[in-house]
Amino acid sequence: MKRQIGVLVMSYGTPASMDQIEAYYTHIRRGNPPTGEQLQELTDRYEAIVGGVFPLRANTDKQASALQEALNRITAESGREAEFVCYQGLKHAAPFIEDGVSKMGEDGIREAVGIVLAPHYSVMSVGGYIKRAREKAEACGIRMKFVKSYHLHPALIEALSRRVAGKLDLFEEAGAVRDQVKVLFSAHSLPARILEMGDPYREQLLETSRAVAEQTGVSNWQFTWQSAGRTSEPWLGPDILDTLKELSVEQVEDVLVAPVGFVSDHLEVLYDLDIEAKAAAKELDMRLERIEMLNSDPLYIKALSESVIHAWEKE
Ligand code: FEC
């Protein structure tokens, strides 16, 4: 029998159905249930995107199975005597990170690699996923290695660059001057205190943005945050809604948003950008478009599979 390597594919997670939103939101809030008003507001956002469907779940399923296929194709081609088996571990919904690790243990897996479906490392995001997986793996006797980030993997940069260049072509076809389209790279905000902790999140996001701008020949770009939490502490800014106001003062008419911190179609893109930011842009008389998400793009899957193999081979 071939040597079996487990791959824990970790993702944010989304409710399984509308009646699961409260449990999901309570988990995000570390066990504190939301108020009725907060719950209604989140339910309305899910209703608004695609009528109560949760696209992140299907996207994560597809990414995990495409990754397993790619890993086993690469190992077969290289003649390695190993088989990769992917397990899902979600941060805020079942199957939770701990469930994925337990399942590996039950299946007799003794060595594994963990990767998060988010390319940039922060101690508050990817670091949290890894901590939970590591603790459970230790308890289950599984030797586990991790991919911490892959924000500059050439296949990731290529996939994002193709999307930016393709959308800029469309702006041009619609009569815009290419260089005058403002490209806004964006990512999920985090509490600003991460900067004092020397966290690499912001710098890694800027590195991805610079690499894509360079590869597409874009000089008219800036980075902005989105989807900040509603807590009393300061979050990293500027938020995209403020950035749009500033751009309007500068008389920018065309904006292309590239949410490089996310990899799937989900609430933070389909609502925060496609509904909220688009409406704000319309109010300001600006045209706002967004690049397609990576979802199961073979280039993204290549970035994931090569990162997993690299981590596995590392001592
Ligand atoms: O489509 C879906 O159902 C899920 C979309 C979704 C993704 C996502 C990714 C990230 N988050 C990150 C950080 C935070 C912090 C808080 C927080 C809160 C929420 C809430 C929802 C939500 N997040 Fe999320 N996030 C997604 C959804 N997120 C819903 C709760 C309501 C709200 O604030 O809008 C604040 C927690 C707290 O209260 O203490 C912090 C980061 C990412 C990107 C990296 C990753 O995917 O892990 C960072 C997708």
Side-chain angles (χ1 to χ4, degrees), residues 16-33:
S17 56
M18 293 303 270
D19 61 358
Q20 293 293 308
I21 297 178
E22 185 167 10
Y24 172 71
Y25 203 174
T26 302
H27 194 274
I28 291 179
R29 294 164 49 86
R30 291 170 298 275
N32 297 309

Side-chain angles (χ1 to χ4, degrees), residues 51-69:
V53 179
F54 303 88
L56 182 57
R57 197 160 278 271
N59 287 327
T60 303
D61 289 349
K62 285 189 201 141
Q63 286 164 330
S65 65
L67 174 59
Q68 177 167 305
E69 215 181 285

Side-chain angles (χ1 to χ4, degrees), residues 16 50 81 104 112 119 129 163 167 233 238 241 246 249 252 304:
V50 261
E81 283 299 306
M104 282 197 240
Y129 290 82
R163 282 164 169 71
K167 281 285 177 188
E233 69 177 324
L241 300 180
E246 278 165 28
V249 173
V252 170
L304 292 174

Side-chain angles (χ1 to χ4, degrees), residues 64-177:
S65 65
L67 174 59
Q68 177 167 305
E69 215 181 285
L71 284 167
N72 289 321
R73 198 180 47 243
I74 298 171
T75 39
E77 282 164 7
S78 69
R80 291 185 186 93
E81 283 299 306
E83 184 192 7
F84 285 95
V85 190
C86 286
Y87 294 80
Q88 277 188 42
L90 309 181
K91 193 173 189 184
H92 296 299
F96 288 98
I97 292 171
E98 293 77 6
D99 300 333
V101 179
S102 287
K103 182 84 178 66
M104 282 197 240
E106 286 161 19
D107 291 352
I109 301 271
R110 287 293 160 260
E111 50 182 327
V113 178
I115 188 162
V116 180
L117 298 177
H120 307 87
Y121 183 89
S122 164
V123 71
M124 286 187 73
S125 61
V126 172
Y129 290 82
I130 293 180
K131 184 170 180 285
R132 282 171 55 186
R134 182 173 277 139
E135 280 169 11
K136 189 70 187 175
E138 274 167 18
C140 295
I142 300 173
R143 198 163 61 91
M144 202 156 176
K145 296 174 177 179
F146 293 94
V147 176
K148 285 181 78 180
S149 60
Y150 45 93
H151 67 292
L152 284 177
H153 191 290
L156 175 81
I157 302 302
E158 175 66 25
L160 293 169
S161 298
R162 284 189 193 176
R163 282 164 169 71
V164 169
K167 281 285 177 188
L168 287 176
D169 290 346
L170 293 182
F171 268 101
E172 259 189 327
E173 279 164 28
V177 178

Side-chain angles (χ1 to χ4, degrees), residues 12 14 24-25 30 45-46 129 188 235 266-268:
Y12 201 79
T14 188
Y24 172 71
Y25 203 174
R30 291 170 298 275
R45 279 194 275 150
Y46 279 115
Y129 290 82
H188 202 294
W235 287 63
H266 53 54
L267 189 72
E268 312 296 76

